[in-house]
Amino acid sequence: MCGRFAVTTDPAKLAAEIDAVNEVPASAASGPDDAAGTAATDSGQSGAGSDDRAARPLGTNYNVAPTTTILTVVERHSHDDPHDDPRLRVRAMRWGLVPSWAKEVGKGPLLFNARAETAAEKSSFRTSVKSKRCLVPMDGWYEWKPGPADSRGKPTKIPFFMSPKDGTRVFMAGLWSTWHDRSNPDSPPLLSCTILTTDAVGDLREIHDRMPLIMPFDNWSTWLDPDHQAPPELFSPPGDDVAGAIGIREVSPLVNRVANNGPDLLAPV
């Protein structure tokens, strides 16, 4: 699965790197990081605090958790000229997809992951699969595997960090949605997203049987195309070459608490 990740870039830098239009409002891209907790992840770990972090300022974050506002990459036509060529655009979205038909935010399941194999069959994701696909940039992601029992006999979980061996960024396939508050028509729409997961491959299977769906650069244009559906093969697990480029290292259990945030979370144990 993918319930936590780390990212060390800002909207302007990311947009420059990939030649995209930066559409992140200045108010969302600045300000101190909020270390408040969030809902439980698939690791079995949880933090304290509210389930609504959609307004959290963007910036370097070593412990990104669901409901946080995150950076995404989409390819869309211009609002002023819908017939022009689509362009890459960097947008801020809530991590945890809110379907367009939802009555309110935060009352349904926390849809921060979607299974790539079945997303097209689910009412929450069906429309997004057709025309609202995105990329989620990250330095790497965390996953937990069962560890030995502690001194009280309780099971433990050992955190690991998976990231490109060459130190580059990795982009995960995602889906996004636009939600409007029908009780307040004048409020701005909420953009939200989910990260697709697939069967783990290669050495990554030793950590967890699922992994986020890595989208190689060569497939970006086809995956993000707003005018055509993505071919089924892009929803399949990545090849061994892609998985082989990902390094795995055990990291400190400090990452188990969302309130902990800093580069020391990435240090190998």
Side-chain angles (χ1 to χ4, degrees):
M1 302 295 282
C2 181
R4 302 275 184 84
F5 65 88
V7 62
T8 56
T9 190
D10 58 49
K13 180 180 178 181
L14 177 64
E17 286 180 358
I18 63 175
D19 190 24
V21 178
N22 178 18
E23 295 187 342
V24 177
S27 59
S30 62
D33 282 343
D34 174 8
T38 188
T41 72
D42 62 292
S43 70
Q45 307 296 339
S46 63
S50 142
D51 180 42
D52 185 6
R53 305 169 72 201
R56 174 177 177 168
L58 292 174
T60 296
N61 191 339
Y62 295 93
N63 203 354
V64 184
T67 72
T68 301
T69 299
I70 63 173
L71 293 179
T72 65
V73 179
V74 301
E75 186 175 75
R76 309 302 287 180
H77 295 279
S78 169
H79 288 296
D80 298 326
D81 186 4
H83 299 294
D84 71 345
D85 292 333
R87 285 203 61 185
L88 291 179
R89 302 173 188 275
V90 176
R91 292 181 175 175
M93 298 189 190
R94 175 190 191 268
W95 184 21
L97 188 143
V98 180
S100 60
W101 43 259
K103 293 183 178 180
E104 56 184 306
V105 177
K107 295 300 182 181
L110 186 56
L111 303 175
F112 59 91
N113 281 165
R115 296 177 71 91
E117 308 94 309
T118 59
E121 305 168 10
K122 305 297 184 180
S123 60
S124 296
F125 308 123
R126 190 180 299 124
T127 300
S128 298
V129 168
K130 293 179 180 178
S131 60
K132 289 186 175 180
R133 301 176 298 274
C134 65
L135 297 171
V136 178
M138 59 181 71
D139 292 26
W141 75 99
Y142 299 98
E143 194 53 80
W144 286 256
K145 65 182 297 185
D150 61 17
S151 59
R152 294 173 293 178
K154 294 185 177 181
T156 61
K157 288 182 177 292
I158 303 173
F160 289 81
F161 186 67
M162 279 65 64
S163 62
K165 294 177 180 178
D166 60 5
T168 57
R169 220 178 309 284
V170 64
F171 291 77
M172 304 305 183
L175 306 173
W176 64 283
S177 178
T178 304
W179 180 81
H180 296 273
D181 185 355
R182 295 174 179 82
S183 65
N184 184 8
D186 295 329
S187 64
L190 171 66
L191 302 184
S192 62
C193 66
T194 187
I195 295 175
L196 289 172
T197 67
T198 187
D199 288 333
V201 295
D203 293 340
L204 297 172
R205 288 176 295 192
E206 298 179 10
I207 307 301
H208 199 280
D209 62 347
R210 303 288 294 178
M211 63 176 284
L213 179 58
I214 299 172
M215 190 57 59
F217 175 76
D218 291 345
N219 294 335
W220 282 19
S221 179
T222 304
W223 175 255
L224 295 174
D225 187 345
D227 302 317
H228 300 88
Q229 294 197 44
E233 55 266 27
L234 292 191
F235 290 83
S236 301
D240 291 339
D241 57 331
V242 175
I246 300 296
I248 304 170
R249 66 176 181 269
E250 182 181 346
V251 293
S252 169
L254 288 173
V255 73
N256 294 353
R257 286 182 52 81
V258 180
N260 296 329
N261 205 317
D264 52 322
L265 299 186
L266 305 184
V269 172

